[in-house]
Amino acid sequence: QVQLQESGPGLVKPSQTLSLTCTVSSASISSRGHFWSWIRQRPGKGLEWIGNIYYTGSTSYNPSLKRRLTMSVDTSKNQFSMKLTSVTAADTAVYYCARDLSYSDSTGGGSYYDFWGQGTLVTVSS
Amino acid sequence: EIVMTQSPATLSLSLGERATLSCRASQSISSNYLSWYQQKPGQAPRLLMFDASTRATGTPARFSGSGSGTDFTLTISSLQPEDFAVYYCHQEYNLPWTFGQGTKVEIK
């Protein structure tokens, strides 16, 4: 069973940088067709896609966060990470990492999140 | 950006009743890129359906998905106690990927 585990500080001060790492177990982060994603959920709200990264280092970011966001991957540690700069209270959320399985077939292909981490609450407060 | 609109926001039903959840995309998407997730309080979302109508491993047969283009539906044929949760639709057809705002299925 593939497992993902988020780690990082639970409290970040306003204007500082939020840094999170996702450690992947029982699967190789270098597997083709798997994109490694970050999704967040503000308190009492819905899900927001933050961005994803491929093992090659290729990234896609949500335009709403792109100016402040950097993602990276460490294949030797089977981990991927995100950094969000200049945080405000609006960045307080549960942050999830997830595996985005992308496939190609005769119908053209598709994609979906098949495994998720348990989530980690990050609070932005002084 | 493709906006995913789910309705209703809340569905109040009794055990054994049929639940019909709607998801509408602001532009046409391939059904291969439409998935549904179930989220219970304090838990991470769980994949329920992918390709709009394919049940994920472990998803009971009482769940079914349908739709194409802009209109998609998740149906629970007979609600069981463990089905009371929030359900999200999600598209990965066009960047940025987006989720619907969720439909909460609660016990009446």
Side-chain angles (χ1 to χ4, degrees):
Chain A
Q1 176 83 339
V2 178
Q3 293 187 312
L4 295 90
Q5 178 67 58
E6 306 89 351
S7 59
L11 181 63
V12 181
K13 288 181 166 51
S15 80
Q16 295 194 340
T17 297
L18 182 162
S19 297
L20 294 173
T21 295
C22 183
T23 301
V24 180
S25 305
S26 301
S28 172
I29 207 166
S30 302
S31 295
R32 291 187 177 184
H34 294 146
F35 291 79
W36 303 95
S37 305
W38 291 98
I39 295 148
R40 71 180 182 181
Q41 186 169 36
R42 294 186 176 104
K45 302 298 183 183
L47 301 166
E48 178 184 22
W49 177 73
I50 297 172
N52 66 30
I53 189 165
Y54 199 51
Y55 76 95
T56 57
S58 175
T59 56
S60 293
Y61 296 156
N62 192 319
S64 67
L65 297 168
K66 189 173 184 176
R67 279 190 309 107
R68 301 190 289 132
L69 183 63
T70 302
M71 290 187 181
S72 60
V73 61
D74 187 336
T75 56
S76 67
K77 294 182 178 178
N78 226 35
Q79 295 176 333
F80 62 105
S81 302
M82 62 165 281
K83 291 184 187 298
L84 187 65
T85 62
S86 306
V87 296
T88 69
D91 295 309
T92 293
V94 174
Y95 286 76
Y96 296 101
C97 57
R99 187 175 82 169
D100 194 350
L101 187 154
S102 179
Y103 68 92
S104 295
D105 61 16
S106 58
T107 68
S111 56
Y112 51 89
Y113 303 113
D114 57 352
F115 292 99
W116 295 67
Q118 65 186 27
T120 186
L121 173 63
V122 178
T123 302
V124 179
S125 175
S126 55
Chain B
E1 174 175 318
I2 297 178
V3 177
M4 306 298 284
T5 302
Q6 291 185 242
S7 61
T10 304
L11 205 47
S12 298
L13 295 168
S14 302
L15 287 173
E17 285 197 293
R18 182 184 189 89
T20 303
L21 288 67
S22 174
C23 174
R24 177 164 290 179
S26 59
Q27 63 188 76
S28 184
I29 65 173
S30 165
S31 59
N32 286 10
Y33 293 93
L34 190 286
S35 51
W36 290 91
Y37 300 86
Q38 177 192 64
Q39 187 178 34
K40 297 180 180 179
Q43 296 184 17
R46 177 177 81 94
L47 176 67
L48 209 58
M49 310 283 295
F50 62 95
D51 293 356
S53 60
T54 303
R55 283 188 292 275
T57 302
T59 300
R62 62 181 179 272
F63 288 88
S64 61
S66 63
S68 63
T70 60
D71 292 310
F72 299 88
T73 301
L74 177 70
T75 302
I76 311 171
S77 60
S78 176
L79 279 166
Q80 300 303 301
E82 60 270 27
D83 301 336
F84 292 94
V86 180
Y87 294 85
Y88 294 94
C89 62
H90 173 63
Q91 69 81 22
E92 295 192 20
Y93 185 66
N94 273 355
L95 285 167
W97 307 155
T98 48
F99 291 88
Q101 81 278 19
T103 290
K104 182 179 181 180
V105 178
E106 63 177 26
I107 300 175
K108 187 173 181 180

